[in-house]
Amino acid sequence: MPAAGGFDKGNGKGYPGKLTPFVTVTCIVAAMGGLIFGYDIGISGGVTSMPSFLKRFFPSVYRKQQANSSTNQYCQYNSETLTLFTSSLYLAALLSSLVASSVTRKFGRKKSMLFGGVLFFAGALINGFAQGVWMLIVGRLLLGFGIGFANQSVPLYLSEMAPYKYRGALNIGFQLSITIGILIANVLNYFFAKIKGGWGWRLSLGGAMVPALIITIGSLVLPDTPNSMIERGQRDEAREKLRKIRGVNDVDEEFNDLVAASEASKQVEHPWGNLLKRKYRPHLTMAILIPFFQQLTGINVIMFYAPVLFNTIGFGNDASLMSAVITGLVNACATLVSIYGVDKWGRRSLFLEGGTQMLICQAIVAACIGAKFGVDGNPGELPKWYAVVVVLFICLYVAAFAWSWGPLGWLVPSEIFPLEIRSAAQSVNVSVNMAFTFVVAQIFLNMLCHLKFGLFIFFAFFVLVMSIFIFFFLPETNGIPIEEMGQVWKNHWFWSRYVGEDDFVSNAPSQLVVVVLLRLYFVSAGGKSTAAAVLRIAAAASAAGGATIAAQVQ
């Protein structure tokens, strides 16, 4: 029996190919889809700490903010309307990700990215010119629709386009662009807040049009993935595209596996219902629990409300925005660690190290805030060393997330789904992510008011639970071709009871015999096939399975 985590990688199958400049540039452009998500995460927390923005749209919060500092600091931002402004986006993203599944499957990954960019642009335009709360909410809903489409399609695009040996690093480009978006938003908030006249928030919100244009234009120039082209019947074009992105002519084995997966997916009439089948139990579990746990690390609390949080624990407006810039910079730099190490050290080791580091940091931050603020929220005079300690451990916490649960929360689900359920399962993944992002964003300020420093203990508990889950139930997926991922579940100590030997079959000896006999028939009939050709086709059939017979005997 394998170790608890299931380290056995299956049949060790690999495809020829290299990391070409074409696929590198393509994946970088596609990964820019994360900018819209990151920019929004960073910008929303910044503008909600700007007095001019609060005074115009949320006057009750503004009055609390300007009140005497002896009032309860934990509760100064507690407003249902303010949290609705932040969280409404994620409710819209939840709904659009369900629709995006059908768009991605029928029209390809590119079209889904295009819709996402256009919707996000419209939302940014409305928010930039907002005259009332209702315009802010409508704009946020359109932003959410755009994010739902982009988050559904971009991780799939990257996983399908990248060579399997580099899939982790290229896929994490999506998370890197999210962190860059957060950083840019934090920097812009800092400078826009200084604009005289108090209209800098319009530039912050309207600035989202720039990342929207990047993903919109990018979706128009990007090539489609071979998987998507095969799925829509464009097999000849898909073969040529696969040769171009792999940089080699010998792509028959990978192409035939993609065709086999496509043929299997076409037999599935109801992919949503198919998710409930026993053999997809591990996939569905990961599609639900990984995004669920990702949100309950507490990271979005830090990123949404970093300026608000720092303001709450005693920083001034400018200082709180600068602290958010610092955490944003740490977030982006630490993601580079994950890009470097994910294909060297594996997914599990990063998950577990990051979880341990986050747990320690959250416990220390809870102790620091509890010691100074107590339960009444009146800290008195805060020394500079205290502020340095809090920011330091929040930065260490952000760094741990940025090289573990941040990128891997998108990478692992996008690489484990078979083609026949890939779009539907990715929609479940995004929907769960957005649902719990909405819940956390909606209740965070209320929880901060009532749980006080215990809020960090609350999230620390879930970090402990999720680390235990990863240790026992997530197999290592590093270095496994995406169409061969079924083997890792068969060899896992727990999931093997749900995935049988006949599920996700990649070898078919009996069908190999059929192919060889057909070829021998052509030889005896005067065809041009040779014994060497028979051996080559036999090897290909053995690797690719029975669904490739038609392709091999043509």
Side-chain angles (χ1 to χ4, degrees):
M1 179 182 292
F7 288 98
D8 189 335
K9 290 188 176 184
N11 61 9
K13 186 174 181 179
Y15 303 123
K18 54 189 177 182
L19 184 60
T20 62
F22 174 77
V23 79
T24 302
V25 172
T26 296
C27 287
I28 290 173
V29 173
M32 290 298 103
L35 280 176
I36 61 175
F37 191 24
Y39 186 89
D40 180 80
I41 290 173
I43 219 71
S44 56
V47 296
T48 52
S49 70
M50 294 181 186
S52 59
F53 177 80
L54 293 175
K55 185 177 181 179
R56 183 181 181 92
F57 296 105
F58 307 99
S60 62
V61 178
Y62 174 76
R63 287 192 293 270
K64 288 182 185 178
Q65 186 192 53
Q66 301 301 311
N68 189 290
S69 60
S70 63
T71 58
N72 190 332
Q73 297 296 299
Y74 289 124
C75 298
Q76 65 172 321
Y77 287 96
N78 188 21
S79 165
E80 295 299 324
T81 310
L82 180 60
T83 53
L84 181 63
F85 162 73
T86 300
S87 60
S88 57
L89 178 148
Y90 302 97
L91 186 62
L94 161 64
L95 298 175
S96 69
S97 64
L98 300 175
V99 177
S101 169
S102 298
V103 174
T104 302
R105 186 180 178 93
K106 293 180 181 178
F107 302 105
R109 285 54 167 150
K110 287 179 54 178
K111 289 290 193 302
S112 192
M113 284 188 262
L114 176 63
F115 292 154
V118 171
L119 289 168
F120 197 86
F121 182 89
L125 191 65
I126 291 174
N127 273 352
F129 290 98
Q131 298 298 317
V133 174
W134 71 270
M135 288 186 71
L136 289 178
I137 301 299
V138 170
R140 296 287 290 173
L141 290 173
L142 287 173
L143 293 173
F145 290 139
I147 285 175
F149 274 96
N151 285 9
Q152 204 277 343
S153 54
V154 172
L156 287 185
Y157 184 95
L158 294 171
S159 286
E160 292 178 350
M161 187 65 75
Y164 74 95
K165 292 179 182 178
Y166 306 99
R167 187 176 63 241
L170 291 175
N171 192 289
I172 289 175
F174 176 67
Q175 176 67 18
L176 178 62
S177 69
I178 291 177
T179 63
I180 291 173
I182 293 171
L183 176 60
I184 291 171
N186 287 332
V187 171
L188 292 178
N189 279 335
Y190 179 76
F191 288 105
F192 290 159
K194 296 179 178 295
I195 294 178
K196 293 181 180 179
W199 52 274
W201 59 268
R202 290 194 182 276
L203 295 178
S204 291
L205 295 177
M209 289 186 286
V210 176
L213 284 174
I214 292 174
I215 184 60
T216 301
I217 295 172
S219 67
L220 294 175
V221 301
L222 287 173
D224 220 335
T225 68
N227 309 61
S228 180
M229 295 170 77
I230 291 171
E231 205 170 10
R232 289 177 287 126
Q234 303 170 8
R235 293 193 180 181
D236 292 337
E237 297 92 330
R239 186 190 292 271
E240 289 305 312
K241 186 65 66 180
L242 190 60
R243 286 180 177 140
K244 185 175 182 180
I245 65 176
R246 296 293 180 256
V248 295
N249 288 323
D250 182 17
V251 296
D252 288 348
E253 184 178 358
E254 182 175 5
F255 177 78
N256 289 330
D257 278 358
L258 295 178
V259 171
S262 178
E263 292 297 326
S265 72
K266 289 177 181 177
Q267 305 304 313
V268 180
E269 295 182 1
H270 307 288
W272 289 97
N274 214 48
L275 276 172
L276 301 177
K277 287 187 176 180
R278 182 180 178 86
K279 68 177 180 177
Y280 298 122
R281 198 72 51 82
H283 309 80
L284 184 60
T285 301
M286 296 302 164
I288 294 173
L289 288 185
I290 287 180
F292 167 75
F293 284 139
Q294 188 189 47
Q295 295 314 307
L296 287 176
T297 58
I299 188 62
N300 278 344
V301 167
I302 298 294
M303 290 306 173
F304 286 155
Y305 298 109
V308 171
L309 183 63
F310 285 127
N311 194 297
T312 296
I313 60 177
F315 293 70
N317 288 330
D318 280 357
S320 64
L321 287 171
M322 179 51 71
S323 298
V325 171
I326 293 171
T327 57
L329 184 61
V330 169
N331 193 21
C333 292
T335 304
L336 296 174
V337 175
S338 189
I339 290 177
Y340 171 79
V342 68
D343 292 318
K344 294 179 181 292
W345 308 323
R347 282 62 162 155
R348 282 170 47 85
S349 59
L350 285 176
F351 264 131
L352 295 173
E353 190 284 331
T356 302
Q357 186 171 323
M358 283 192 291
L359 179 63
I360 294 170
C361 291
Q362 284 171 320
I364 293 174
V365 169
C368 288
I369 295 178
K372 292 298 293 182
F373 285 76
V375 294
D376 60 358
N378 297 320
E381 191 70 26
L382 292 173
K384 287 186 177 180
W385 67 262
Y386 171 84
V388 170
V389 170
V390 171
V391 172
L392 173 63
F393 280 98
I394 285 180
C395 285
L396 289 174
Y397 160 80
V398 169
F401 177 85
W403 62 55
S404 62
W405 278 89
L408 299 180
W410 295 105
L411 166 62
V412 172
S414 72
E415 70 181 0
I416 64 173
F417 304 136
L419 185 62
E420 63 267 24
I421 62 165
R422 191 168 296 159
S423 291
Q426 180 67 3
S427 285
V428 171
N429 177 51
V430 175
S431 298
V432 173
N433 192 301
M434 293 300 128
F436 282 96
T437 303
F438 169 78
V439 170
V440 170
Q442 186 66 26
I443 67 175
F444 162 68
L445 292 176
N446 199 289
M447 289 177 69
L448 178 62
C449 182
H450 291 88
L451 293 181
K452 303 173 175 59
F453 63 88
L455 181 63
F456 291 91
I457 298 175
F458 171 83
F459 287 122
F461 168 76
F462 279 100
V463 170
L464 177 63
V465 172
M466 66 184 71
S467 297
I468 294 172
F469 171 80
I470 292 296
F471 181 80
F472 285 106
F473 297 106
L474 180 69
E476 182 58 72
T477 57
N478 182 31
I480 313 266
I482 196 168
E483 303 303 339
E484 294 294 313
M485 201 63 72
Q487 292 296 320
V488 302
W489 309 111
K490 295 180 185 180
N491 297 320
H492 190 270
W493 72 276
F494 180 79
W495 298 119
S496 57
R497 68 190 67 184
Y498 296 101
V499 181
E501 287 301 320
D502 295 332
D503 296 325
F504 313 118
V505 175
S506 61
N507 295 304
S510 61
Q511 292 163 342
L512 165 63
V513 173
V514 174
V515 173
V516 173
L517 289 175
L518 285 169
R519 279 296 193 183
L520 289 174
Y521 168 78
F522 292 148
V523 171
S524 66
K528 296 182 179 179
S529 297
T530 64
V534 173
L535 291 176
R536 284 199 303 272
I537 204 68
S542 177
T548 64
I549 290 177
Q552 296 290 350
V553 299
Q554 288 175 351

